[in-house]
Amino acid sequence: MISILVVEDDQNIRKLIEETLLDERFNPVLAKDGIEALDIIDKQHIDLMVTDIMMPGMDGYTLTEQLRDAGFDFPILMVTAKDGIKDKHKGFIVGTDDYMVKPIDEEEMVLRVKALLRRAKIVNERKITIGQVTLNHDSLAVSRGNERYTLPQKEFMLLYKLLSYPQTVFTRIQLMDEIWGYDSESAEHTVSVHIGRLRERFYNWPEFSIETVRGLGYKGVRNDT
């Protein structure tokens, strides 16, 4: 079973999260603060952590930062009443993967947990499988049956990014910063050019597509069924 560490000082909320995770057949492991969480992590394997921010002894920011500094790379979901932009920025800076504001919507939390676990699996395996299609991160190859394309690095990373987060809209600036780098002298139009090449190359592959979201950017669409 997948073990999910729940770090929450409020007993009622801790119980709610525990019951929700049990209903989804996860193995919830409970801690009332950051100190207890570190002790648990030292003794057993954890696949994902759900943590509050405001806790006695050690808050969620400090807990997350210490775990990242120590090399722990499991996904972390912060669940908190602090919904300010600065609070979210601080959470992402110290190493959280996702952020959810209280009061908790159990269905939303489950969806976020499953998405984080799916992304972690992609990172660990360094490949994406969509039906008969496989994207291999190490070889920069996209294959389906007897068809196989080795893509230029930027082109592959663009496709890999979009299909790692299906239905998530990324702006051209976001894609430029992550794939070409903040210091790149390339123009935003470069992203559109690469998107065009990918669409032309895979136009007859029904397993996935890249959609333009007018006024915003692009999103990857996976057709796994």
Side-chain angles (χ1 to χ4, degrees), residues 14-31:
R14 195 165 63 239
K15 185 65 176 177
L16 171 64
I17 297 176
E18 178 188 24
E19 292 176 351
T20 301
L21 294 175
L22 284 172
D23 287 342
E24 296 294 325
R25 299 188 178 181
F26 292 122
N27 174 40
V29 182
L30 308 181

Side-chain angles (χ1 to χ4, degrees), residues 77-124:
L77 169 62
M78 282 188 173
V79 181
T80 178
K82 297 174 72 66
D83 61 352
I85 295 298
K86 290 183 178 179
D87 299 314
K88 293 182 179 181
H89 283 180
K90 184 175 181 179
F92 287 121
I93 288 171
V94 297
T96 190
D97 296 278
D98 201 359
Y99 201 104
M100 185 175 172
V101 178
K102 295 177 180 177
I104 293 174
D105 180 300
E106 296 98 312
E107 183 178 357
E108 179 187 356
M109 185 188 69
V110 168
L111 290 173
R112 290 180 181 272
V113 164
K114 289 182 177 179
L116 287 172
L117 290 170
R118 183 168 60 249
R119 294 172 199 168
K121 184 173 184 288
I122 289 170
V123 170
N124 291 334

Side-chain angles (χ1 to χ4, degrees), residues 33-52:
D33 56 39
I35 302 298
E36 187 176 359
L38 290 176
D39 185 59
I40 290 171
I41 292 169
D42 190 48
K43 296 176 180 176
Q44 69 180 89
H45 173 77
I46 295 297
D47 295 289
L48 180 146
M49 182 174 77
V50 178
T51 182
D52 188 19

Side-chain angles (χ1 to χ4, degrees), residues 121-139:
K121 184 173 184 288
I122 289 170
V123 170
N124 291 334
E125 293 187 350
R126 298 180 69 81
K127 70 177 181 180
I128 299 174
T129 301
I130 309 170
Q132 298 300 311
V133 175
T134 299
L135 283 75
N136 190 309
H137 189 283
D138 294 327
S139 63

Side-chain angles (χ1 to χ4, degrees), residues 179-193:
I179 296 172
W180 278 264
Y182 290 98
D183 299 326
S184 174
E185 296 181 359
S186 300
E188 288 180 39
H189 179 65
T190 301
V191 176
S192 301
V193 172

